[in-house]
Every structure is written in C-alpha cells, then in structure tokens.
C-alpha cells in the first residue's frame, strides 16, 4: 500500500447543496477506482454518506473496461447480539454497496459483525485491517463528523490519535443521536456499545474524504481544521494526516470557515483535477 502517498495536501471544496457535494465526492471515489488497481474504500455510516453512495453506485455501474479490484471496509459497527441485516443500518449499507456495484470483477466487503466475544472481534478486525492495507494499492477513507464533539467513526474526545480497533461504550449524546437517526427516537433500541477502527487506522489512508452538510456541522468543521490539534476534538487529528484530505462541504457547513478564514481557503471544484490529486 501507500505507493502513491504524497505529502500532506488539504483541499477544501464548497458546493451549493448536499447533492452537488455528494456527487463530487462520489466522483473522487470512482476516479480512485479507475486509477488504482486495488482500491480499498473505507466506508462510513450515518446520514452524510447516503447520497454519496447513491451517486457512487450509479457512476460505478457506468464504468466500462476497468479490471481493477475493490474492497469496502466499514469503519465501525454497533455491538448488537441481535444484529441482522434488517435492524442495523450499518449492514444494509454494506450489503447494498456490495450488491449494487456489479461491474467490478473482484469485490469484497468487511464489517465488524461477530459479537460472541467483542474482544475476539477486535482481534479479527485488526487482522482484516492489516491484510487489506497490505493488499491495497490505494486506500481512500470516507468520514462523517460528530456535530458537537468532532468524533470520527466512534472515536470520541480523549481517544489517542494512534489508536487501533477497540470497543467503545457509547455516550448518552451518541445514543440519542442514533436513536433519532435510525431507531425512531427510541433510545432503548440503540445498542450501547460499538466496535470502531481507531484514529491511527484512519490516518493510514492515502486519501481521506471528510464530508459534512448542514448548519449543525459548521462550527465543528472550523474547529477541526483550523483550531488546535487536540484529542478533545478527534477530527483535528486529520490535520496531522500525511496524505490528501478533501473536505467536502455545502454552503451551510462551510459558513464558519468562510466567515473566519475567507473564500480563499476553497478550491474551485471545476479547477480540481481529481486524477492528479490522488
Ligand atoms: C461513521 C460513524 C460516525 C458518523 C458521525 C456523523 O461510521 O459512525 O462517526 O460519521 O456520527 O453522522 P451523520 O453523518 O449521520 O451526521
């Protein structure tokens, strides 16, 4: 892996709305697939990626002539003894992606899912991370961000920047946020623990796409990329990432950056040669 890692580069992109932003993010993933023989695509859950995946599936199915291979590797998952494809959003993303991208000759997907012993699953997933990192000629990671605390995957404030896969006790705020997103507001249905890749695993990516849309993400976007690098804001670890970082925003989530740093921070998407930037 890492054949193509360049030195640190940060590209801030602002779009009129979420759909345009999602389409561009999908274009980056498809370009990476066309460019690299063995692409490892680190997937995220939550609401942010939904439209990105829709555009990605659509674009991937129009690609002709590529023999390149693709592995999806999910960042995190709830620990739920009752987990099934029906009751966990995480599973359905993976299933949908794997089933929908039908033009890729070699396709695989990994997600933490064996709950008999969470500790054993941590070990199994670490082995998967090492093996897929080794397999890949390029690793591109998609991330969303926690509105208030800047969590990435389930790495919460205070987590070390060099962490690897671990079990997390979800805090009340995360449980409530997930209840509203996925479980009709019912906190009793939300699993209380999760397994997550560590920040150290995320930082190994050649390219990271951080996407966040809407006013609720505006403050944390500015704090993460222009504030102090601190474990209090897990996403601020991305300032130390040695590779290319795309921060993909809409007008609302970009608003604090525009206000405090000015328009000059942003690259015009039309001027960006995605192939060259990877
Ligand atoms: C990623 C993940 C979380 C979300 C974050 C933002 O797999 O579990 O880190 O990215 O909570 O969630 P949304 O996108 O729903 O705002």
């Amino acid at each position: 892996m890492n054949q193509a890692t360049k030195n640190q580069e940060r590209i801030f992109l602002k779009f009129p709305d979420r759909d345009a932003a999602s389409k561009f993010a999908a274009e980056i993933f498809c370009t990476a697939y066309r460019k690299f023989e063995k692409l490892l695509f680190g997937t995220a859950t939550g609401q942010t990626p939904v439209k990105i995946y829709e555009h990605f599936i659509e674009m991937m199915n129009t690609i002709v002539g590529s023999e390149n291979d693709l592995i999806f590797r999910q960042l995190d998952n709830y620990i739920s003894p009752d987990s099934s494809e029906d009751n966990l959003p995480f599973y359905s993303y993976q299933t949908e992606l794997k089933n929908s991208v039908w033009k890729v000759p070699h396709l695989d997907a990994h997600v933490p899912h064996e709950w008999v012993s969470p500790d054993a699953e941590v070990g199994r997933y670490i082995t998967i991370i090492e093996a897929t990192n080794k397999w890949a000629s390029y690793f591109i990671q998609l991330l969303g961000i926690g509105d208030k605390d800047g969590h990435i995957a389930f790495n919460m404030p205070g987590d070390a920047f060099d962490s690897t896969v671990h079990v997390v006790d979800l805090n009340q705020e995360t449980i409530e946020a997930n209840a509203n997103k996925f479980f009709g507001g019912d906190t009793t249905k939300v699993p209380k623990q999760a397994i997550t890749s560590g920040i150290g695993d995320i930082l190994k990516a050649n390219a990271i796409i951080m996407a966040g849309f809407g006013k609720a993400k505006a403050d944390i976007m500015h704090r993460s990329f222009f504030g102090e690098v601190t474990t209090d804001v897990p996403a601020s670890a991305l300032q130390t990432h040695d590779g290319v970082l795309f921060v993909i925003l809409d007008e609302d989530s970009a608003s604090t950056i525009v206000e405090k740093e000015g328009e000059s921070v942003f690259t015009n998407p039309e001027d960006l040669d995605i192939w060259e930037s990877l």
Side-chain angles (χ1 to χ4, degrees), residues 43-49 74-76 90 143-147 151-154 181 217:
T43 51
T45 55
Q47 288 170 331
T48 307
Q74 174 57 32
L75 275 174
D76 49 15
F90 289 31
L143 293 178
I145 190 168
D147 303 1
H151 68 254
I152 46 176
F154 278 121
K181 281 180 201 168
K217 309 272 182 193

Side-chain angles (χ1 to χ4, degrees), residues 146-151 170-180:
D147 303 1
K148 297 192 175 66
D149 58 8
H151 68 254
L170 301 181
N171 60 30
Q172 193 54 28
E173 192 182 308
T174 307
I175 290 173
E176 278 164 23
N178 283 326
N180 292 332

Side-chain angles (χ1 to χ4, degrees), residues 45 76-81 83 87-91 112-113 115 154 170 174-175 177-179 181-183 189-195:
T45 55
D76 49 15
N77 200 357
Y78 292 120
I79 295 177
S80 167
S83 62
N87 73 358
L88 283 183
F90 289 31
Y91 261 116
H113 70 279
W115 308 134
F154 278 121
L170 301 181
T174 307
I175 290 173
N178 283 326
K181 281 180 201 168
F182 302 120
F183 297 95
K189 288 195 179 149
V190 184
K192 306 292 178 280
Q193 285 190 312
I195 280 188

